[in-house]
Amino acid sequence: MAEFRATIRVWVIVVLVACLLTQGCGPGVVQTSYASGLPSAGLPQPDSQWDQPQGWHIEPVVKLAVAENIVDGGDRSRPHQSSVIEVYQDQTYLVAPHDSEQSDDLQPAAVCTVTSNVDSGAGTLRTCLQNAVAGATVLFSPSAFPPSTPGTIHLSSELPRIRVNNLTIDGSDAGVVIDGSGLGGQPVGLRVDGANGVVIRGLQIVGFSWGVVLWQGASNCIVGGDRAVGNGPMGQGNRLSNNRHVGIELQGSSTTNNQIRGNLIGTNSIGQGSNGNETGVFMVLGTSNNVLGGSHTPGVCDGACNVISGNTTSGIKLQSAGTSGNRILGNFIGTNVTGESAIPNKVK
């Protein structure tokens, strides 16, 4: 027996040393941080606080590469001459960014299903977000949110900010509208504060000041997906329309490697008419290496292709020094979802 115990001690020591040397023997943990005491008033109005930087100028319409950001319209992106993409920049050259990779260190730990379209209480989206843990999934019941007649959540206050890693909010098999039109101030639909690996898909987010905001170091997040996947009207894509300022905003130098794919930004729910935000997509204050769009079938806006149309100022705006390495690839900009008719983005 004494010899057996001595053998166990030896093996324990060997395993501990191996763990220290390899940093293994445990689940991977993605560490992120966010600032405490964030202001409750939301983000500043884009065109009032971030004026044109001194000594910079606006390059009109579409350029192949601006401010280290790569813009590629693909075969059917048909930008219209009303400043679809507005970029503040002072030099033009290419920088090859790294591909974004979704972290899979944490596996889903819990599932919370939204069964009610009221603002708060049992079975609501608010309660699911309040109780969310890293790796959790939020689903929507098709009986409460039928794909053929989407259910609307009318909010009486902003939803909780997303601060846990690897949270998935998935409405792709249901019809889900989140409506902030009854809120005062500068409300945000879904705000990801410094979390890693968050996925938002299958939602229609309307009536806010900002639809979705990724900031404070939000990284490796995916907003959207393939609209052909899922039983809901959006599939895995989202619709971000009729928001007073911005549909999707990516902000800050530590906000990196995010993907915006398969969304309708500024259109109605079928991508055939205008229901614009002020700005469709806004990348600002040094956000980098994000991907807007991606691969799709030639001539068809499927897969990762976003429809960015009908917005009242710019379809896409990039601003501030350090906003670099972002790729805009294979989107339909200023057209309907088929690319056959114009839904232009306009400049005031």
Side-chain angles (χ1 to χ4, degrees):
M1 180 63 72
E3 181 178 348
F4 178 71
R5 285 196 297 268
T7 301
I8 290 177
R9 291 192 192 100
V10 169
W11 277 108
V12 169
I13 291 170
V14 169
V15 170
L16 287 174
V17 169
C19 288
L20 291 172
L21 290 175
T22 64
Q23 299 182 352
C25 300
V29 178
V30 179
Q31 297 182 348
T32 62
S33 62
Y34 51 85
S36 59
L38 294 174
S40 60
L43 298 165
Q45 183 173 340
D47 289 308
S48 64
Q49 182 152 335
W50 290 308
D51 294 329
Q52 181 175 332
Q54 184 176 6
W56 292 27
H57 62 279
I58 300 174
E59 285 289 328
V61 201
V62 181
K63 295 185 71 67
L64 287 179
V66 288
E68 302 179 340
N69 300 282
I70 298 174
V71 180
D72 179 6
D75 64 301
R76 286 289 288 277
S77 291
R78 299 179 180 179
H80 291 263
Q81 284 294 111
S82 51
S83 194
V84 169
I85 301 178
E86 181 182 353
V87 181
Y88 291 84
Q89 59 101 28
D90 61 353
Q91 49 189 320
T92 301
Y93 52 92
L94 290 173
V95 171
H98 298 291
D99 287 333
S100 172
E101 295 183 358
Q102 173 72 14
S103 172
D104 58 358
D105 290 37
L106 296 177
Q107 298 301 316
V111 173
C112 184
T113 301
V114 181
T115 57
S116 171
N117 66 355
V118 301
D119 175 81
S120 61
T124 63
L125 175 58
R126 185 178 302 277
T127 296
C128 285
L129 293 178
Q130 287 171 340
N131 297 330
V133 297
T137 299
V138 176
L139 300 175
F140 295 82
S141 168
S143 60
F145 298 89
S148 58
T149 55
T152 300
I153 302 172
H154 294 280
L155 296 180
S156 59
S157 62
E158 275 196 25
L159 291 167
R161 302 182 185 197
I162 299 170
R163 292 170 169 163
V164 295
N165 295 336
N166 298 286
L167 175 68
T168 296
I169 304 172
D170 187 355
S172 61
D173 284 324
V176 184
V177 179
I178 305 174
D179 189 338
S181 59
L183 303 180
Q186 303 287 315
V188 177
L190 289 173
R191 186 187 325 229
V192 182
D193 279 11
N196 187 83
V198 172
V199 177
I200 298 169
R201 62 193 181 203
L203 307 177
Q204 300 186 57
I205 301 175
V206 300
F208 295 89
S209 291
W210 284 261
V212 171
V213 172
L214 308 181
W215 74 327
Q216 298 289 334
S219 298
N220 302 303
C221 300
I222 300 176
V223 179
D226 191 331
R227 293 192 303 278
V229 176
N231 296 317
M234 297 296 108
Q236 292 181 339
N238 301 290
R239 175 179 168 242
L240 297 117
S241 297
N242 198 31
N243 295 293
R244 291 185 289 278
H245 297 322
V246 179
I248 304 177
E249 179 163 326
L250 295 85
Q251 182 191 125
S253 60
S254 57
T255 299
T256 63
N257 296 313
N258 300 291
Q259 300 179 47
I260 312 298
R261 49 193 296 131
N263 302 288
L264 303 179
I265 305 172
T267 74
N268 62 18
S269 61
I270 58 174
Q272 294 289 355
S274 173
N275 195 197
N277 312 284
E278 183 178 54
T279 297
V281 181
F282 191 20
M283 300 185 187
V284 65
L285 294 178
T287 186
S288 63
N289 297 326
N290 304 291
V291 180
L292 175 61
S295 61
H296 62 95
T297 304
V300 180
C301 191
D302 60 5
C305 172
N306 299 287
V307 178
I308 307 171
S309 303
N311 298 287
T312 60
T313 59
S314 298
I316 304 168
K317 180 188 290 186
L318 294 89
Q319 183 173 308
S320 306
T323 300
S324 62
N326 301 293
R327 290 183 290 172
I328 302 169
L329 308 169
N331 302 287
F332 278 24
I333 302 171
T335 77
N336 66 354
V337 71
T338 64
E340 297 301 326
S341 62
I343 308 177
N345 300 288
K346 301 175 183 177
V347 171
K348 294 178 181 179

